[in-house]
Amino acid sequence: RPRVLSGIQPTSGSFHLGNYLGAVRQWVALQETHDAFYMVVDLHAITIPQDPAELRANTRLAAAQLLAAGLAPERCTLFVQSHVPEHAQLGWVMNCLTGFGEASRMTQFKDKSARQGADRATVGLFTYPVLQVADILLYQADQVPVGEDQRQHIELTRDLAERFNTRFGPTFTLPAPYILKETGKIYDLQDPQIKMSKSASTPKGLVNLLDEPKVTAKKVRSAVTDTDTVIRFDPVEKPGVSNLLTIQSTLTGTSVAELEQRYEGKGYGALKSDLAEAMVDFVTPFRSRTQELLDDPETLDSLLAKGAEKARAVAAETLAETYDRVGFLPAK
Ligand code: ATP
Ligand code: MG
C-alpha cells in the first residue's frame, strides 16, 4: 500500500468548507486504499499567537471533526503532531539544509507574514514550511493530499529530500502532491478571487462547518456572483458562480455539466437556494457527530494516544537513520 500523510491546523475551531473539500474529503477516501497518516498540526498552529486553553480545546475539536468527517481509527493513523517529538527533531536537520533565500520564496510565508506585520511575524512562521518538510519525510510518504496552496511546500519537500539523499545517501522517499483539480482551491464566498481561509477570509465569505446551519444557509444565499444572469462554469469570467458550481457538484455528486443544464434559464437564486439546502444537509449530521465525540474526551484522548504510538514507531525509525547519516554520535 502506498503511504499518504497530511495535516490540518487546530486554529480557529471549526474547519471550513475549503478544508473539507480541498483536503479532508480526500483523506477519508484514501484511508481505504493507502497506508494513511493524518495529524492535527499544533506545532504549526503556534507560528501565530494562540491562547493555551483555546489551543488545547481546538486540538481536540480538530480531531473530533476529522472523525466526524469519516476518518476511522482502525483504517488510518490519527495523531497530534506534538505527541511525536521526532517532527521537531527532523525539522531542525531540515532547517540546516534549507537556504535562507529558498525559505524566503515561500508564498504562504510571504502572505501570512504580510498579514501579521513584518515586526510581529516570528521565525517559527518563517521556517514552518521546513517543519512541514520534516512532517512528510518522517513517514516516507508517497503522496500528500492537500489543497493547491500547499503545492509549493511539496516542491520544497522534494528538493530537500533529494538534496539530503544526494549528500548523505538514499534516505527519503520523494513525495508527490495529491491535489484535485476540481476542489484544490475553494474560494471565499464574498471575494471569489481569494482562497477561503481560516485566517484570511471575510467572516461572511468563510463557511465554517460548525456554524449554525441557518448561518451557513445565509452565507450561501448572500454569496457574491456577478451582474450577468447565466449559470456557467467559467472561473475567469465568472469566479463566484463557478465556485458555487464546484461546491454544489462535489457535495451532491452531480457533474458541473449536468448542473449547467439543470439551471439553464434559471437565476442565481435557484442555484444558491439548492446549494444552501445541500450545505445544511451536509453540516447538520457533521455537527452532531462532532459534538458526540467531544462529549467523550477520554475516548478521544486514548484514541489519539494510540495514534501517536503508531506514528512514533515509523517516525523514530526515520529519525534514527537520518541522525546516523548526518554523523551524530549514537547515544549509547
Ligand atoms: P490558514 O489560512 O491559517 O493557513 P487554512 O484555512 O489554510 O488556514 P490549514 O489548516 O492551513 O487551513 O489547511 C488544512 C488543509 O486544507 C490544507 O491541505 C490546505 O491546503 C487545505 N485548504 C485550506 N484552504 C483551502 C481552500 N480554500 N481550498 C482547498 N483547500 C484548502
Ligand atoms: Mg493553510
Side-chain angles (χ1 to χ4, degrees):
R1 279 191 158 201
R3 186 170 285 166
V4 290
L5 172 287
S6 198
I8 188 159
Q9 299 193 68
T11 41
S12 77
S14 178
F15 292 174
H16 59 74
L17 195 56
N19 296 142
Y20 178 70
L21 296 180
V24 175
R25 197 165 180 274
Q26 282 64 257
W27 298 10
V28 175
L30 289 166
Q31 66 181 345
E32 308 300 337
T33 50
H34 287 63
D35 184 18
F37 288 77
Y38 302 125
M39 60 182 171
V40 180
V41 292
D42 52 353
L43 297 182
H44 287 286
I46 65 163
T47 56
I48 285 176
Q50 301 293 333
D51 173 79
E54 259 175 48
L55 177 61
R56 205 168 287 124
N58 283 339
T59 300
R60 276 207 190 99
L61 180 56
Q65 289 177 88
L66 289 173
L67 295 164
L71 291 189
E74 58 294 349
R75 264 171 272 157
C76 68
T77 303
L78 174 62
F79 64 102
V80 174
Q81 188 185 26
S82 65
H83 293 176
V84 181
E86 286 81 1
H87 289 261
Q89 293 174 292
L90 186 64
W92 177 252
V93 177
M94 291 299 144
N95 270 323
C96 296
L97 222 67
T98 310
F100 200 86
E102 195 174 29
S104 310
R105 285 192 291 277
M106 294 298 118
T107 59
Q108 284 278 304
F109 164 70
K110 287 197 266 187
D111 291 353
K112 289 187 177 194
S113 58
R115 245 179 279 141
Q116 285 278 298
D119 294 336
R120 282 202 292 158
T122 65
V123 177
L125 185 64
F126 181 63
T127 66
Y128 100 86
V130 184
L131 177 59
Q132 214 175 307
V133 168
D135 297 339
I136 298 165
L137 296 183
L138 265 182
Y139 298 91
Q140 308 284 9
D142 300 292
Q143 286 171 308
V144 187
V146 285
E148 188 58 52
D149 60 323
Q150 296 302 314
R151 192 181 289 279
Q152 196 186 25
H153 295 162
I154 318 265
E155 275 307 309
L156 178 68
T157 308
R158 293 175 64 88
D159 289 348
L160 290 177
E162 214 165 8
R163 194 171 306 161
F164 189 99
N165 290 350
T166 306
R167 205 147 125 197
F168 300 105
T171 309
F172 296 116
T173 304
L174 266 55
Y178 183 94
I179 301 171
L180 296 190
K181 187 164 63 65
E182 296 78 14
T183 54
K185 190 168 180 182
I186 300 296
Y187 295 86
D188 182 293
L189 295 192
Q190 287 297 311
D191 182 357
Q193 309 290 344
I194 63 166
K195 89 162 187 117
M196 190 180 285
S197 174
K198 290 197 188 102
S199 48
S201 296
T202 56
K204 275 178 69 191
L206 173 68
V207 179
N208 280 319
L209 302 186
L210 295 178
D211 278 348
E212 287 282 344
K214 259 193 257 163
V215 172
T216 299
K218 196 167 165 210
K219 284 181 181 175
V220 171
R221 286 203 199 88
S222 51
V224 165
T225 46
D226 52 55
T227 52
D228 189 30
T229 51
V230 186
I231 296 181
R232 173 168 55 86
F233 187 79
D234 182 344
V236 177
E237 296 295 324
K238 304 171 74 69
V241 172
S242 303
N243 191 37
L244 297 181
L245 283 171
T246 298
I247 299 168
Q248 170 80 336
S249 161
T250 315
L251 280 182
T252 63
T254 319
S255 74
V256 167
E258 216 174 316
L259 291 176
E260 284 175 333
Q261 262 188 6
R262 182 184 303 171
Y263 294 111
E264 215 182 299
K266 293 190 183 145
Y268 293 162
L271 169 63
K272 286 180 177 176
S273 115
D274 288 353
L275 178 55
E277 197 181 309
M279 276 302 306
V280 169
D281 287 349
F282 174 71
V283 297
T284 304
F286 176 82
R287 290 176 90 223
S288 54
R289 276 203 300 277
T290 302
Q291 192 52 54
E292 275 165 37
L293 289 151
L294 283 178
D295 287 343
D296 185 1
E298 273 108 70
T299 304
L300 196 56
D301 288 358
S302 81
L303 194 148
L304 291 172
K306 279 191 200 115
E309 204 180 308
K310 272 161 69 189
R312 267 201 98 168
V314 178
E317 196 181 317
T318 309
L319 186 75
E321 191 186 346
T322 309
Y323 271 21
D324 183 54
R325 293 240 186 230
V326 166
F328 290 160
L329 183 69
K332 283 240 167 72

